[in-house]
Amino acid sequence: MKIIAVGKNYAEHAYEFDGTVERPQVPMIFMKPDSAIIKNGKHFYVPDFLGRVDYEAEIVVRINKLGKSIPARFAHRYYDAITVGIDFTARDMQRGLIERGEPWDLSKGFDGSAVLGEFRAVENFDINNVDFSLTIDDNVVQKANTSQMYFSVDEIIAYVSRFCTLKTGDLIFTGTPAGAGEAKIGTHLKGYIGEDKVLDFHVR
């Protein structure tokens, strides 16, 4: 099982991250190891050696069949469920790596950096019109709709599957909207699809 993630897939987040104002030509893809996963409401423990760690809430798609070079028009056949997940990022480390022109995989792929909520059947949604949000201590900090993504779920799948075969159980983190910020010890994070709470955990 692999975790595929998309960077800067919402215009406002791209701007707040580095001032980007133009839609990229292709999705920005990075990957996380399976050891990054936390689920079932388990706590996220901030690694004390990483400096600042930021939360990034996003819709996560679960792949349900083997596929290679999948046309976008058929991509909807290759996933069966969605949830809200958190892509935790070691922000100080990431910015330092970017400044030095080095890969920033470790700033995204450390253990526990991919928190998953409970999955919901995708057949109950229009994947291109899904409201989702993140609250911290019951205050909304991120809120968006998948219609705002630069690259839709089906476009992401079509692009990624050109390079690597998608397998049952693979996960795609589809990008975070504006509002990403520092994960502070002692806070309580909840993720919602519409009004349905699918993610609930604490930062320790």
Side-chain angles (χ1 to χ4, degrees):
M1 188 273 285
K2 55 187 172 290
I3 303 168
I4 298 163
V6 185
K8 298 196 291 186
N9 201 25
Y10 287 80
E12 291 184 359
H13 173 66
Y15 182 78
E16 72 179 359
F17 178 69
D18 64 4
T20 297
V21 295
E22 295 182 356
R23 181 184 188 272
Q25 293 184 345
V26 295
M28 176 186 291
I29 302 298
F30 61 94
M31 303 181 82
K32 293 173 177 271
D34 57 10
S35 60
I37 292 175
I38 296 177
K39 54 185 178 180
N40 301 323
K42 293 181 179 178
H43 301 326
F44 169 70
Y45 291 89
V46 180
D48 57 11
F49 62 92
L50 286 179
R52 172 172 169 157
V53 173
D54 283 7
Y55 59 81
E56 299 183 14
E58 40 204 273
I59 289 293
V60 181
V61 175
R62 185 176 70 194
I63 300 299
N64 69 333
K65 66 166 67 174
L66 188 75
K68 172 70 175 175
S69 298
I70 303 164
R73 67 183 183 278
F74 297 135
H76 65 278
R77 302 177 182 178
Y78 289 82
Y79 53 93
D80 64 351
I82 61 172
T83 191
V84 173
I86 305 293
D87 165 23
F88 278 114
T89 305
R91 191 69 75 200
D92 291 338
M93 180 182 184
Q94 182 191 40
R95 292 193 184 281
L97 291 167
I98 290 172
E99 289 174 1
R100 296 192 297 274
E102 299 174 4
W104 37 268
D105 302 61
L106 288 180
S107 69
K108 288 280 193 177
F110 57 90
D111 285 356
S113 63
V115 182
L116 293 176
E118 299 175 359
F119 280 95
R120 299 290 186 260
V122 74
E123 63 189 22
N124 297 322
F125 304 93
D126 172 359
I127 193 64
N128 296 312
N129 186 26
V130 177
D131 289 318
F132 67 101
S133 60
L134 176 71
T135 67
I136 297 181
D137 297 334
D138 294 324
N139 297 308
V140 177
V141 294
Q142 290 188 279
K143 187 174 184 179
N145 184 285
T146 54
S147 64
Q148 299 169 310
M149 294 195 300
Y150 278 141
F151 298 97
S152 69
V153 170
D154 292 352
E155 289 172 326
I156 294 167
I157 287 173
Y159 179 74
V160 170
S161 67
R162 291 168 57 193
F163 300 92
C164 57
T165 300
L166 296 179
K167 297 184 178 181
T168 301
D170 286 351
L171 302 172
I172 299 179
F173 280 65
T174 59
T176 196
E182 185 176 3
K184 296 184 177 180
I185 294 172
T187 52
H188 186 186
L189 279 64
K190 300 177 186 176
Y192 297 83
I193 296 177
E195 299 299 319
D196 181 15
K197 183 177 69 175
V198 295
L199 180 69
D200 190 335
F201 70 101
H202 291 81
V203 176
R204 300 300 193 200

